[in-house]
Amino acid sequence: MSSALLAKQLLIRAVECDQIGRILEAQTLYQDGIAQLMGFVNGEPDENKRKGFLTRIKEYMDRADAIKARVNGKLMLGKVVSHICIKDNDIGYDYDDIFGQYLDDKTIEILLEEPYMTQNYQYQNLVRFLELTAVKCKNMKYFRLVTKEDTKNLDQQKTNIGQIKADLERRNITCSVKYEESLHDRRIYLSNGFIIKIGRGLHFYKPSNPLYSIGLVNYKFRKCLQTDVDIWSNSNA
């Protein structure tokens, strides 16, 4: 498929997602479509055609920037509707207990900012989180993971995340992954208007000790590390 045709398909899909309010997916599609179109334009010998394409590219870039500002605004604004202080060695705090009530059929898109995705238990926590969304968010269509690259074992990281991505897409959920080395904050943005902020992100559980003991599978019985959880509501979502 030519870059021009691929760009056209991506941008058409971006506009469709934009129009129905799937702004996270639209943002990704705009960015990918623009990148493809830029590659095509750079090889276009006709100056007039190139100018026309650049005009359209600017329109798409402006829309992508507007969506980015809107998403950032949602992440920064709102009010705290719940605060949970988890103490060291506390039990009774699996994901469903903490934020399951905020996952619902209105959650179409999810953005997860989780800086550290390098260890087996971290991938397992991600899958555990996605299993909960599969139960609660029946209409989920898009998931975006933002994390840091594992500089010591990048191939294994991409293999593991690739398996998760492929599984989601088999379930008709589009998944995109973005790597940001400056990422620090840990947040979960839900398209129904809630933002979940956990001090330690998804990774606040202690190892099961001994390994084969209650808490190995059911995290209600797993001891926790100290962390704070704030649930924010953005009424303009």
Side-chain angles (χ1 to χ4, degrees), residues 8-208:
K8 181 179 179 181
Q9 292 181 349
L10 289 168
L11 292 167
I12 288 174
R13 183 63 181 150
V15 172
E16 291 173 349
C17 288
D18 196 351
Q19 290 174 341
I20 62 176
R22 284 160 56 177
I23 59 173
L24 292 177
E25 187 171 1
Q27 182 185 24
T28 298
L29 289 165
Y30 277 128
Q31 292 170 342
D32 292 347
I34 289 167
Q36 288 290 331
L37 195 54
M38 283 295 294
F40 171 76
V41 169
N42 289 336
E44 173 57 57
D46 188 307
E47 181 66 21
N48 289 329
K49 288 184 179 180
R50 189 160 60 249
K51 287 181 179 179
F53 282 126
L54 290 173
T55 298
R56 294 301 301 274
I57 286 172
K58 185 179 184 306
E59 293 173 358
Y60 290 127
M61 290 180 68
D62 288 346
R63 183 54 193 156
D65 287 343
I67 291 175
K68 181 179 180 180
R70 182 180 173 191
V71 171
N72 288 341
K74 289 177 181 293
L75 291 171
M76 297 301 295
L77 301 176
K79 62 180 181 179
V80 177
V81 296
S82 177
H83 174 78
I84 302 170
C85 180
I86 300 175
K87 297 178 181 179
D88 192 54
N89 288 326
D90 272 356
I91 61 173
Y93 291 104
D94 69 358
Y95 295 150
D96 196 7
D97 290 316
I98 296 173
F99 52 75
Q101 63 180 304
Y102 304 104
L103 300 167
D104 57 25
D105 290 349
K106 294 181 180 178
T107 307
I108 310 299
E109 300 183 300
I110 295 177
L111 164 63
L112 171 64
E113 295 180 336
E114 183 60 69
Y116 300 107
M117 200 61 62
T118 61
Q119 304 298 318
N120 285 336
Y121 75 89
Q122 294 170 335
Y123 297 115
Q124 291 166 2
N125 288 341
L126 174 57
V127 170
R128 186 175 296 274
F129 168 74
L130 290 170
E131 287 174 342
L132 181 61
T133 67
V135 172
K136 300 280 190 176
C137 309
K138 301 295 187 182
N139 298 313
M140 183 173 163
K141 298 297 182 184
Y142 179 82
F143 174 71
R144 182 192 298 169
L145 170 67
V146 183
T147 190
K148 293 182 179 182
E149 286 190 342
D150 182 358
T151 55
K152 295 182 179 179
N153 202 353
L154 183 58
D155 288 343
Q156 187 62 56
Q157 181 189 44
K158 293 197 172 182
T159 296
N160 294 346
I161 292 177
Q163 290 177 356
I164 295 170
K165 183 176 186 290
D167 183 66
L168 287 175
E169 292 180 347
R170 282 193 294 270
R171 301 172 193 278
N172 297 315
I173 298 171
T174 301
C175 176
S176 71
V177 181
K178 184 178 181 182
Y179 296 96
E180 287 188 4
E181 296 314 302
S182 61
L183 184 65
H184 175 73
D185 291 340
R186 297 150 172 88
R187 296 180 293 196
I188 305 168
Y189 163 78
L190 309 176
S191 62
N192 63 0
F194 290 101
I195 301 104
I196 302 158
K197 301 180 180 181
I198 307 174
R200 294 180 181 271
L202 296 177
H203 314 312
F204 56 86
Y205 296 109
K206 292 187 175 183
S208 182

